Amino acid sequence: MSQTLVSDRIAELLQHYGAEFIVGFPENRLLNSAAALGVRPIIARTERVAVNIADGFARASDGERFVPCVMQYGPGAEAAFAAVAQAFSDRTPMLLIPGEHDTATQPLLPGPSAAELYRAVTERSLALNDPRDGPDVFRRALSAVLEMRRGPVMVSVANDVLYAEDHGPPWEVRFPRRARTQAAAEDVRAMAATLAAATAPVIVAGQGVLYARATEQLVQLAEALDAPVVTTLNGKSAFPEDHPLSLGTGARTRPTAVDRFYAEADVILGVGTSFSRSLYITPLPQTARLGQIVEDPRDFATGYDVDFGCLGDVKLVLSQLLAELPSADDVRAATGDVRNRVATLRDRFRQDWLPRLMSDASPLSPYRVVWELMHTVDRTRTVLTHDAGHPRDQVVPFYETLVPRGYLGWGKSTQLGTGLGLAMGARLARPDRLAVNIMGDAAFGMVGLDLETAVRCEIPILTIVFNNGLMGGYTEYMPDAVARYAAHRLGGNYAEVATALGAYAERVTRPQELRGALERCIAAVDAGRTALLEAVTHEEPALALP
């Protein structure tokens, strides 16, 4: 009769709470225990990308499902830190289970334990050094991931504990799943009165709308108030960007309508956003009264003074608020014809950028690639993500999202290469959608070999590499190094690399080739192959900055 190990008990618990996959690199006993139960292991090429995959899965499934991410003790746990820091900065609910040195060895270590190392970048950082504590530790971990959903949770498990025999029954833990709450009635009434009296309200929608699956209620509120809507970078796709009240995404680069309506707003309501400050978030004006609807009280007044607010589940609170507002006709009569102004500003912005969006330049304009992509894919069944740097800045203002999670925006930490793993995680979570990642050549250099992970693990995604042969935007930081030594230059044929890794790949240099190449790459993905399109672009310094 085979032995039952603590790792088997943990794997049983993870499967019970819905784990279909387990991702990691390079070794952790949980990979074997989970596989024995039929939980599919995904072995990445680096710990960092393994974390990114789990991160993307959580985002694409709105935190309703999770992929546990494992790695070995010591160097494995340490190598994953950057990706966990990114997930923490964006509050992605995910479960990390690194190994840890044997319990007898831990007091003698020259370096920190994993639990200590990760305390600064996790919602909870727990250690399991006694098998008897297993159910209690994992109850706290799983409830934080699946019920609280406020960021990464880590449980480090000592190796001798993972391999220890467990002679008891399977572990059982219980906790309420998604205990949702409404806001206080008096807070809702006060918010409704403030919004109804506003002459120029604006709504800012964050990722809390996506996690609450509250896009329908958000649209109803915007229409009731005739209030234009801005999304945060993390919240992009929370509001359909083809809606006549959409101003687009208020990121570092953005449509001009965002700043115009901010400047005129007398009330700004943040829905599912902490109002935190970041280079990648459009600053809020000092002239408007600010209000918030958030689920976590820690999100109140994070970056700005806030005058009014409601605490509760975003979807429930929006429903409460809609019930308290005056009729839509009464509100609209007080606010004027906002939609025409939004349409005028959006059209003017698009016309100003059309020369780049439809550029016939060769090498390509990155904006032309974004334009062709948007008009080639079915945006109702596509999830797109970007990488850090210029690809993000060039994509965000111009790729219009139509459905929730049609875009995975990210970036309060912004490590290069994050988007590749996010796309793989999104495809695992939503196999019915085309998962697309746009990255630069510098980002490919960070994680490009993990394209083989997508090939080997049969996670068909489309990666588009903007290859301009340099690190775009860095010349201003090192002008002498660039002038004397061309220190910003990079090189490589990434389509050839992708082909060698087993992917379908094409390299495009002329705009006339783009549409056909995109269609062939998408067809390859639909047939089950990972694809890479290398777009040879010119350096494009122009950004949609205010």
Side-chain angles (χ1 to χ4, degrees):
M1 185 173 179
S2 62
Q3 299 173 336
T4 299
L5 305 182
V6 168
S7 64
D8 301 326
R9 294 301 187 213
I10 297 172
E12 291 167 355
L13 201 57
L14 298 176
Q15 185 182 53
H16 175 76
Y17 278 96
E20 306 164 67
F21 309 95
I22 184 168
V23 62
F25 174 85
E27 183 278 329
N28 182 300
R29 180 65 190 183
L30 280 171
L31 290 166
N32 189 74
S33 293
L37 296 174
V39 177
R40 180 186 168 195
I42 306 293
I43 308 299
R45 300 293 290 258
T46 64
E47 293 88 352
R48 177 184 163 193
V49 171
V51 175
N52 294 151
I53 292 171
D55 186 341
F57 188 98
R59 294 178 196 246
S61 60
D62 299 322
E64 295 288 338
R65 297 152 63 206
F66 74 107
V67 171
C69 182
V70 303
M71 64 282 302
Q72 72 180 48
Y73 66 93
E78 293 160 10
F81 189 89
V84 180
Q86 169 58 58
F88 179 73
S89 72
D90 286 348
R91 289 202 180 176
T92 304
M94 54 192 295
L95 179 61
L96 307 150
I97 314 176
E100 181 56 278
H101 293 272
D102 290 353
T103 51
T105 307
Q106 289 178 28
L108 309 175
L109 293 176
S113 69
E116 293 172 347
L117 180 68
Y118 277 90
R119 194 156 285 125
V121 293
T122 53
E123 175 63 27
R124 288 183 179 176
S125 183
L126 308 170
L128 180 56
N129 286 324
D130 187 329
R132 294 171 296 182
D133 297 333
D136 178 62
V137 168
F138 274 91
R139 184 193 69 250
R140 286 187 283 157
L142 287 166
S143 65
V145 172
L146 295 172
E147 197 276 323
M148 293 170 59
R149 302 194 310 190
R150 294 174 180 171
V153 173
M154 197 204 72
V155 179
S156 64
V157 185
N159 275 359
D160 55 330
V161 173
L162 273 175
Y163 282 88
E165 288 188 55
D166 186 90
H167 300 289
W171 296 354
E172 291 187 11
V173 302
R174 292 184 297 276
F175 52 88
R177 291 297 307 273
R178 299 302 301 137
R180 301 162 65 214
T181 59
Q182 291 185 324
E186 60 269 26
D187 293 337
V188 177
R189 286 193 293 270
M191 179 174 287
T194 300
L195 293 171
T199 58
V202 172
I203 297 172
V204 179
Q207 66 176 345
V209 176
L210 293 165
Y211 280 110
R213 297 182 173 175
T215 290
E216 179 182 349
Q217 290 73 21
L218 177 63
V219 170
Q220 292 174 10
L221 178 65
E223 292 176 346
L225 296 171
D226 212 27
V229 178
V230 178
T231 66
T232 65
L233 180 57
N234 283 8
K236 187 174 174 71
S237 79
F239 191 83
E241 292 183 322
D242 61 343
H243 192 284
L245 288 171
S246 172
L247 299 177
T249 304
R252 175 175 180 252
T253 55
R254 54 195 181 265
T256 52
V258 172
D259 293 272
R260 181 68 63 84
F261 273 89
Y262 270 8
E264 300 172 2
D266 62 336
V267 172
I268 294 179
L269 174 65
V271 183
T273 176
S274 65
F275 280 161
S276 58
R277 293 177 183 263
S278 165
L279 173 64
Y280 310 106
I281 301 172
T282 306
L284 297 177
Q286 297 179 352
T287 53
R289 296 184 64 200
L290 305 183
Q292 288 179 278
I293 298 173
V294 294
E295 188 175 20
D296 188 341
R298 295 177 301 178
D299 288 336
F300 276 132
T302 297
Y304 298 84
D305 293 332
V306 172
D307 295 298
F308 59 97
C310 288
L311 181 66
D313 177 83
V314 170
K315 189 172 187 176
L316 294 181
V317 176
L318 285 175
S319 297
Q320 289 179 275
L321 185 58
L322 286 164
E324 285 289 339
L325 284 172
S327 72
D329 289 340
D330 291 341
V331 176
R332 287 197 184 102
T335 58
D337 189 5
V338 174
R339 298 180 182 219
N340 285 341
R341 293 188 58 232
V342 173
T344 298
L345 288 170
R346 284 171 50 171
D347 184 65
R348 187 178 302 160
F349 177 72
R350 187 179 296 111
Q351 291 299 322
D352 288 344
W353 283 88
L354 268 181
R356 287 184 169 85
L357 292 167
M358 300 185 69
S359 169
D360 287 328
S362 179
L364 298 160
S365 165
Y367 293 110
R368 179 65 184 265
V369 182
V370 175
W371 182 260
E372 292 291 342
L373 177 69
M374 190 171 70
H375 290 87
T376 302
V377 300
D378 178 356
R379 283 177 286 158
T380 65
R381 59 169 295 271
T382 297
V383 53
L384 175 71
T385 192
H386 56 78
D387 219 287
H390 275 187
R392 173 200 59 235
D393 297 338
Q394 292 157 347
V395 173
V396 169
F398 301 106
Y399 185 91
E400 294 183 347
T401 60
L402 305 182
V403 295
R405 295 299 185 185
Y407 200 100
L408 297 188
W410 58 274
K412 292 190 179 74
S413 182
T414 73
Q415 288 95 11
L416 281 176
T418 297
L420 181 63
L422 293 184
M424 283 191 267
R427 176 70 189 207
L428 285 173
R430 295 297 307 269
D432 58 323
R433 288 192 178 184
L434 170 69
V436 183
N437 166 52
I438 297 180
M439 66 196 312
D441 44 353
F444 189 91
M446 300 286 284
V447 298
L449 285 181
D450 259 291
L451 196 71
E452 187 270 341
T453 300
V455 173
R456 169 174 38 85
C457 296
E458 298 181 341
I459 310 172
I461 63 170
L462 170 58
T463 289
I464 299 174
V465 178
F466 289 170
N467 181 8
N468 60 8
L470 50 81
M471 297 186 293
Y474 285 89
T475 300
E476 62 179 298
Y477 302 112
M478 50 181 184
D480 293 328
V482 168
R484 298 184 65 179
Y485 302 106
H488 64 322
R489 287 289 173 186
L490 304 171
N493 185 313
Y494 305 108
E496 290 184 356
V497 174
T499 300
L501 294 174
Y504 176 84
E506 294 199 29
R507 194 172 201 254
V508 176
T509 60
R510 298 187 301 155
Q512 296 80 6
E513 303 167 341
L514 260 175
R515 183 66 65 92
L518 281 167
E519 290 172 346
R520 289 187 293 274
C521 286
I522 292 168
V525 172
D526 288 342
R529 293 190 67 186
T530 284
L532 179 139
L533 177 63
E534 179 183 4
V536 180
T537 61
H538 60 254
E539 183 176 15
E540 177 55 87
L543 297 173
L545 297 168

